[in-house]
Amino acid sequence: MLKTALRNVLAHKARLLMTVLAVTLGVAFVSGTLVFADSSTAAHRAALSKDYADIAVTVTPKDPPPGAPGAAGSAESAESAGTAGDEHATVLDDVLARDLAALPGVAAVRPSADGLATLNASDGHPLRTGRVWAHRAAAYVPGADGKDGRHPLTEGRAPRNGEEIAVDTGTAAAGRFRIGAEITLATDGPAMTKRLVGIVTTRDTRVTAGGTLVLFDRATAQQLFASPGRYTSIDLSAAPGTDTAELARRVAARLPAGRAEATTGTAQAAQQAVLVDTLTRGNEKLSLVFAGVALFIGSFLIVNTFTMLVARRTREIALLRAIGATRRQVVRTLLWEAVLLGLAASALGFLLGLAIASVLPEVLSTTGEPLPRGPLVIGPLPVAAALAVGVGITVLAAWLPSRKAARIAPVEALRTAEQPPTATASRVRGAAGALLLALGAGLLLSLAGAKDASEENLQSAMFGCALLVIALIVLAPLLAVPVIRLSGRLTGRLGIAGHLAHRNALRDPRRTAATASALMVSTALVAGLAVIGHSTGQALDRRAAAGLSADYVISTHTASAGIDPAAVQRVTTAPGVRTATAVTDSTLYIGGGVREISGVDPAAAPSVMELDFVSGSLKDLGPGRIALSRTLARENGVRAGDRIDARIGGPGQDRAPYTVVGVYEDNPTARDALGARTEVQRGSLDPGSVQRVLVRTDSGADGADGAATKDRLRTATGNNPLLRVQDRQELVQEAAGSLSTLLTLTYGLLAIGGVIAALGIMNTLAMSVSDRTREIGVLRAIGMDRAGIRRTIRLESLTVAGFGTLLGLAAGLFGAWTVGALTNGALKDYSLALPWGTLLLVCLTSLATGAVAAALPARRAAALSPLEAVAEL
């Protein structure tokens, strides 16, 4: 029977090729994603192991408990505005470094002053702002030989004073820096200009994974990130044969109690690996989604192919039964064919997966955020997954047709046509499909009224969508007859070719439905995601600039950094500026929750904010008085004139009674509450803290002078890379940026579904043409020309594609409507909006898939001669 299976595979290799291609695509995405994940992890770990190879223990300051002297938010900290924090770091000094160097087992000590610094590229725009956490800054620490072993120089020299810096090779390339260039940068305050004197290499994966590195001389780094003569950390290398854990205990015993702590290099490497792996995990999930969709859609192609092969080999299987083959042997033969196909697809898919893994870093990287590089790592898991997916999916898809083949009796050898399903089978299919449809639609409808985008509800919605799609797959053979009959009114007007195409599509509704199912699933996914993405994008667009009447917003890239008051003053007096109002954003503890409060100038705020007060007004803001949004006021049961206890700022502040002077409609520009800026700044650690500047100009952002005005505003801020100047359109684009992954997923699914659906339609039509050789020959004999034959096959393909597209659109739109209702709970401005252009593109792409898939089968059918009809009689 194994020989029989092998011969059957070789005999039908052309027809099975498309099945192999469908499985190959799924295997390629699965194995490629796993290889990419292993390679990326190995690259991180390799870099980390080198970076921490000479570090046994690192000593860092220990955070004081809340309320202690020097703790963030304490009264002392608030009064000294950061002095306590610097004092807390002074335990790491040269005296402590010498004491630690004298400990047994310590080979070398390397003090460091590290922090964060953001740079402007050579074009004046901030460099790699998407990863502020990876904008590393440190001191160049030369050893006895005058070189820093952690940062080897590749060009130039080390910085020697506060006016000089060095950067790593990646930063130099991204910013287009050359030795001698003047570079603008900032740490946590005003911008500075330094001269580039050196370029180094680094093994820090926070930098190689898309960050930047700036090196100062030791004194400058201490002044910026600690205090003169002090350090932010001290790294210790162990002498040969020293136990790292024991050394860490010795170091901890010499540290000031509660002021510093010791961590082994191994623990630091593990923590950093977890951080970087977490940041790149989303890319792996996106690829696995592609793989799952490819395999799911491909399974329809496999089932359909084996079903048609079994139907065509009815006589062969019946003869095998007649000469003594058992049902089990028949099943085994077909399953062996599936195993052989799966092995071939697994091998091809794994090779293609390696190619995918090699290009994924390029595809998933953006210009400012490249992923780390490294050699491909091929472990046992990707190989096992390729075999399990390729062979497993193929065997499972072939199992049902093989069981059907086993039930063929020897008497079937006398028959030449496949028998239609019995009435009982049709009733069972209809009942099962109706039940699944009721369950799926009922679940989605019940969730539509919830308007709660909790994780549990979203999972239930996904389950309901899955039930809905499965129900349509089960019901597709029953729906095919009325839908295709309806479409026949259109194709029938195209002459005899359209009439024959309509009849051919109705000849076997099960085969038509199975062929259309792949296209239906991909269309449903794409249409649903497109509608949700478009509706969410419009809601974000409305919220991005809602309540804003200013032309420009100047804000910080990080929540920790503020805008220099001097920069605010320069913006106010810049040419073309009509009004510039500073806004301080802080935390508001009110009731049992935590909200955002904006500190504004009551007199100037109405000129830059669109505030719609339900009651009260803004003019009464002042000490002890705040205004609340309608939602926040309703949640706390207060109205204008009521008093409520609240706290503005960090945990070191006490709650105090505040009078509610007004209630305004929800406004994202004004946040959840409004207060006088002086009142909000008083609760901040930085009394002069400003997070936003709202600017009205004479010409407006859309005027002819808009670009020049924006440049003047950037100049007024000192070209500080920590700050960004955005107009209303850029705010909208930034809000829509979160949908890029969804759009990538949408069009990726459309491409995968289209390719596999095309393979399925092509495979089905090719087999159908082979089955209808006699019929096509007779048509040619009675006068139908080659063009008529080609038109018939193409119209049949378009009929099948149209049926799948129609069902897919119906399922996708219904799912988007119900899931969108949940989104409305998290995004209050959400409303269903149909992307007519995208939906039209989906329909045209689906129909084009049918047309392209019919090209080869139509050409083959047209090539048949009338004499072949005689040969088949």
Side-chain angles (χ1 to χ4, degrees):
M1 301 305 291
L2 178 59
K3 290 182 180 179
T4 302
L6 182 58
R7 288 175 179 172
N8 282 327
V9 170
L10 295 177
H12 303 96
K13 51 182 178 295
R15 296 167 191 164
L16 294 173
L17 176 61
M18 297 169 196
T19 301
V20 172
L21 289 176
V23 181
T24 297
L25 287 176
V27 172
F29 277 107
V30 171
S31 59
T33 299
L34 293 176
V35 170
F36 164 71
D38 291 344
S39 303
S40 178
T41 301
H44 292 316
R45 290 177 178 172
L48 287 167
S49 63
K50 294 177 182 178
D51 201 22
Y52 288 97
D54 60 340
I55 299 177
V57 179
T58 296
V59 177
T60 54
K62 189 174 183 180
D63 293 333
S74 66
E76 178 184 345
S77 177
E79 292 173 1
S80 59
T83 303
D86 291 342
E87 184 64 27
H88 180 61
T90 57
V91 294
L92 305 186
D93 54 13
D94 290 321
V95 175
L96 179 60
R98 287 193 295 270
D99 289 345
L100 296 178
L103 289 175
V106 175
V109 172
R110 187 184 191 279
S112 301
D114 301 335
L116 299 177
T118 307
L119 303 88
N120 277 341
S122 58
D123 62 0
H125 293 88
L127 181 62
R128 292 180 177 175
T129 56
R131 294 191 175 187
V132 177
W133 57 269
H135 291 172
R136 313 304 301 172
Y140 185 91
V141 182
D145 59 355
K147 300 179 180 180
D148 188 341
R150 189 173 294 181
H151 305 116
L153 280 163
T154 61
E155 188 178 350
R157 60 174 176 81
R160 297 172 181 169
N161 55 59
E163 300 303 316
E164 299 176 345
I165 61 170
V167 299
D168 72 289
T169 53
T171 301
R176 297 184 178 180
F177 300 138
R178 294 183 178 180
I179 297 297
E182 297 292 326
I183 299 178
T184 302
L185 62 112
T187 54
D188 60 354
M192 304 174 284
T193 301
K194 308 291 183 182
R195 188 165 64 91
L196 180 65
V197 297
I199 298 177
V200 304
T201 59
T202 181
R203 295 184 296 258
D204 189 339
T205 54
R206 292 169 295 183
V207 179
T208 59
T212 59
L213 174 64
V214 181
L215 296 177
F216 301 89
D217 68 287
R218 181 182 300 187
T220 302
Q222 289 176 324
Q223 183 178 4
L224 289 172
F225 307 119
S227 58
R230 315 297 175 177
Y231 304 100
T232 57
S233 65
I234 299 176
D235 296 332
L236 286 75
S237 300
T242 302
D243 181 78
T244 303
E246 177 60 30
L247 180 60
R249 285 191 288 270
R250 294 175 194 166
V251 171
R254 296 295 296 270
L255 299 178
R259 304 291 300 279
E261 59 184 351
T263 308
T264 64
T266 303
Q268 294 179 75
Q271 293 171 0
Q272 193 168 341
V274 170
L275 169 65
V276 182
D277 289 346
T278 300
L279 292 170
T280 58
R281 194 172 299 151
N283 297 326
E284 301 163 14
K285 290 182 177 179
L286 183 61
S287 299
L288 286 174
V289 168
F290 287 161
V293 171
L295 290 171
F296 182 67
I297 298 176
S299 64
F300 295 103
L301 171 56
I302 303 169
V303 171
N304 203 25
T305 300
F306 274 91
T307 301
M308 294 181 68
L309 284 175
V310 168
R312 296 199 60 204
R313 289 157 53 188
T314 298
R315 294 172 62 90
E316 174 189 332
I317 294 172
L319 288 173
L320 286 174
R321 292 292 313 282
I323 62 176
T326 64
R327 291 186 176 183
R328 184 173 298 178
Q329 286 177 314
V330 171
V331 172
R332 194 180 303 141
T333 300
L334 291 174
L335 292 183
W336 269 117
E337 291 182 32
V339 169
L340 293 174
L341 286 176
L343 289 173
S346 297
L348 293 174
F350 187 76
L351 293 177
L352 181 59
L354 294 181
I356 291 176
S358 64
V359 301
L360 266 179
E362 298 291 342
V363 174
L364 297 177
S365 295
T366 62
T367 302
E369 299 185 11
L371 294 177
R373 301 294 191 271
L376 290 181
V377 176
I378 303 175
L381 181 58
V383 177
L387 289 173
V389 169
V391 177
I393 292 293
T394 308
V395 170
L396 286 176
W399 181 68
L400 286 177
S402 67
R403 284 178 56 85
K404 179 181 179 182
R407 292 196 296 267
I408 297 176
V411 72
E412 294 290 335
L414 300 177
R415 300 179 182 176
T416 59
E418 183 181 6
Q419 298 301 310
T422 63
T424 301
S426 298
R427 285 195 294 269
V428 170
R429 176 185 286 271
L435 178 61
L436 290 172
L437 184 65
L439 290 176
L443 179 59
L444 291 174
L445 288 173
S446 66
L447 293 171
K451 294 188 177 183
D452 178 12
S454 64
E455 183 176 356
E456 181 180 355
N457 280 346
L458 288 175
Q459 290 177 350
S460 299
M462 293 177 64
F463 179 68
C465 290
L467 287 178
L468 183 65
V469 171
I470 294 173
L472 289 178
I473 293 172
V474 174
L475 292 173
L478 304 179
L479 296 173
V481 175
V483 173
I484 293 178
R485 280 179 178 169
L486 184 63
S487 67
R489 297 181 180 180
L490 177 62
T491 57
R493 297 179 180 179
L494 301 178
I496 188 63
H499 179 72
L500 288 175
H502 169 241
R503 296 298 299 269
N504 288 334
L506 284 176
R507 179 178 296 181
D508 189 345
R510 288 179 300 172
R511 185 173 65 189
T512 298
T515 304
S517 292
L519 198 56
M520 180 195 72
V521 172
S522 61
T523 302
L525 286 171
V526 172
L529 289 175
V531 171
I532 293 175
H534 180 71
S535 303
T536 303
Q538 287 200 344
L540 291 175
D541 290 351
R542 289 190 291 269
R543 287 183 59 85
L548 179 68
S549 58
D551 300 315
Y552 297 93
V553 176
I554 302 174
S555 59
T556 62
H557 282 294
T558 61
S560 59
I563 302 177
D564 182 21
V568 176
Q569 182 60 35
R570 291 195 299 270
V571 169
T572 304
T573 58
V577 173
R578 180 186 306 174
T579 303
T581 301
V583 179
T584 296
D585 294 320
S586 187
T587 305
L588 176 68
Y589 296 84
I590 186 170
V594 181
R595 295 302 185 96
E596 292 180 291
I597 185 171
S598 297
V600 298
D601 180 356
S607 64
V608 292
M609 291 183 179
E610 296 177 352
L611 297 171
D612 182 11
F613 273 84
V614 178
S615 59
S617 67
L618 192 67
K619 63 181 181 180
D620 294 326
L621 284 182
R625 297 192 294 272
I626 60 176
L628 304 180
S629 66
R630 179 194 282 262
T631 298
L632 185 57
R634 183 173 61 249
E635 289 176 354
N636 290 274
V638 296
R639 297 179 295 179
D642 293 346
R643 293 174 67 85
I644 189 171
D645 289 338
R647 185 180 81 220
I648 300 175
Q653 308 298 318
D654 295 327
R655 286 187 178 247
Y658 284 89
T659 301
V660 179
V661 298
V663 176
Y664 56 89
E665 294 288 354
D666 291 5
N667 189 316
T669 300
R671 305 294 198 261
D672 301 305
L674 285 170
R677 191 169 77 245
T678 54
E679 179 79 2
V680 176
Q681 286 177 335
R682 190 166 58 210
S684 173
L685 295 177
D686 181 4
S689 175
V690 171
Q691 280 67 49
R692 290 180 289 160
V693 180
L694 308 183
V695 182
R696 286 284 298 273
T697 62
D698 295 330
S699 59
D702 299 329
D705 195 37
T709 301
K710 190 174 180 180
D711 289 339
R712 287 195 293 268
L713 292 176
R714 280 209 60 82
T715 301
T717 65
N719 286 319
N720 193 324
L722 293 177
L723 304 182
R724 54 188 173 184
V725 180
Q726 297 172 292
D727 57 28
R728 296 171 62 90
Q729 184 59 35
E730 288 172 326
L731 290 172
V732 170
Q733 292 174 353
E734 182 183 48
S738 59
L739 297 175
S740 60
T741 299
L742 181 62
L743 293 176
T744 300
L745 177 64
T746 299
Y747 295 115
L749 293 176
L750 178 60
I752 292 175
V755 169
I756 297 179
L759 292 175
I761 295 174
M762 189 182 301
N763 210 15
T764 301
L765 290 176
M767 291 186 177
S768 177
V769 167
S770 180
D771 289 343
R772 297 185 341 234
T773 298
R774 181 175 55 186
E775 173 188 325
I776 294 172
V778 170
L779 290 173
R780 292 282 287 118
I782 62 176
M784 179 173 278
D785 58 10
R786 297 180 186 274
I789 296 295
R790 287 195 296 267
R791 191 180 306 114
T792 300
I793 301 300
R794 288 168 181 165
L795 288 175
E796 181 182 350
S797 177
L798 287 174
T799 299
V800 174
F803 173 63
T805 302
L806 180 62
L807 288 186
L809 282 176
L813 294 178
F814 181 76
W817 172 64
T818 52
V819 174
L822 297 179
T823 306
N824 186 265
L827 192 59
K828 297 187 182 304
D829 291 334
Y830 181 92
S831 61
L832 187 69
L834 297 180
W836 295 108
T838 302
L839 294 178
L840 178 61
L841 176 63
V842 170
C843 293
L844 293 178
T845 301
S846 299
L847 294 177
T849 298
V852 171
L856 288 178
R859 183 176 179 181
R860 178 184 174 187
L864 293 175
S865 68
L867 294 178
E868 294 192 36
V870 179
E872 289 290 327
L873 288 175

